[in-house]
């Protein structure tokens, strides 16, 4: 069983493997980056490193009733680090790969591409995010 960081995008909950999390910071406005895709908010300076900041909800096609962002999750994949703005960081939970279920056919293509599946934690339904796909989608 592995640990996962659970966070929200609007009213929906998502998780990423804790091993992919570099750090979590309070949300801060990014410096706009010319000619970036619409889901890229810009770049942020973290201890001298310039890191892209991506609006995860917009990139994944998740509708948010409120666009308020309270946190940035910095994820690492190989040698790359990208910041993803989220509504809130909820908790750290145990994840059992066997508990993931396939997404229903009515899911958007974006959500299917970026997700490992969905799991139930008590009354909560949590979408598991595929970090490798997230990085591939962010860098296009």
């Amino acid at each position: 069983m592995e640990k996962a960081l659970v966070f929200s995008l609007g009213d929906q909950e998502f998780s990423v493997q804790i091993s992919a999390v570099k750090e979590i910071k309070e949300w801060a406005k990014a410096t706009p980056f010319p000619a970036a895709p619409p889901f890229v908010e810009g770049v942020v300076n973290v201890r001298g490193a310039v890191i892209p900041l991506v609006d995860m909800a917009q990139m994944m096609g998740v509708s948010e009733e409120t666009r308020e962002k309270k946190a940035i999750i910095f994820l690492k994949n190989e040698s790359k680090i990208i910041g993803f703005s989220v509504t809130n960081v909820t908790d750290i939970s145990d994840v059992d790969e066997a508990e993931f279920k396939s997404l229903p056919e009515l899911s958007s293509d974006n959500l299917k591409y970026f997700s490992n599946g969905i799991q139930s934690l008590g009354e909560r339904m949590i979408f598991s995010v595929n970090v490798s796909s997230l990085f591939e989608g962010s860098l296009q």
Side-chain angles (χ1 to χ4, degrees), residues 15-79:
S15 69
V16 291
Q17 294 174 332
I18 200 77
S19 59
V21 178
K22 174 97 169 118
E23 68 181 282
I24 302 165
K25 296 187 91 156
E26 188 174 315
W27 187 83
K29 188 168 174 48
T31 301
F33 196 80
F39 55 79
V40 174
E41 294 182 49
V43 293
V44 291
N45 183 336
V46 179
R47 289 182 293 289
V50 177
I51 299 173
L53 180 61
V54 171
D55 182 332
M56 187 182 287
Q58 187 175 358
M59 185 179 86
M60 293 178 64
V62 175
S63 62
E64 286 187 273
E65 290 182 17
T66 172
R67 299 296 292 174
E68 184 178 5
K69 299 168 195 147
K70 295 182 181 174
I72 300 172
I73 301 171
F74 292 93
L75 299 177
K76 61 182 185 269
N77 190 27
E78 297 170 11
S79 63

Side-chain angles (χ1 to χ4, degrees), residues 55-108:
D55 182 332
M56 187 182 287
Q58 187 175 358
M59 185 179 86
M60 293 178 64
V62 175
S63 62
E64 286 187 273
E65 290 182 17
T66 172
R67 299 296 292 174
E68 184 178 5
K69 299 168 195 147
K70 295 182 181 174
I72 300 172
I73 301 171
F74 292 93
L75 299 177
K76 61 182 185 269
N77 190 27
E78 297 170 11
S79 63
K80 296 180 177 78
I81 298 174
I82 298 178
F84 294 92
S85 58
V86 300
T87 305
N88 211 357
V89 174
T90 310
D91 58 29
I92 295 174
S93 297
D94 289 323
V95 173
D96 184 353
E97 294 287 331
E99 294 294 316
F100 291 133
K101 307 290 185 234
S102 297
L103 294 178
E105 287 302 314
L106 52 97
S107 301
S108 75

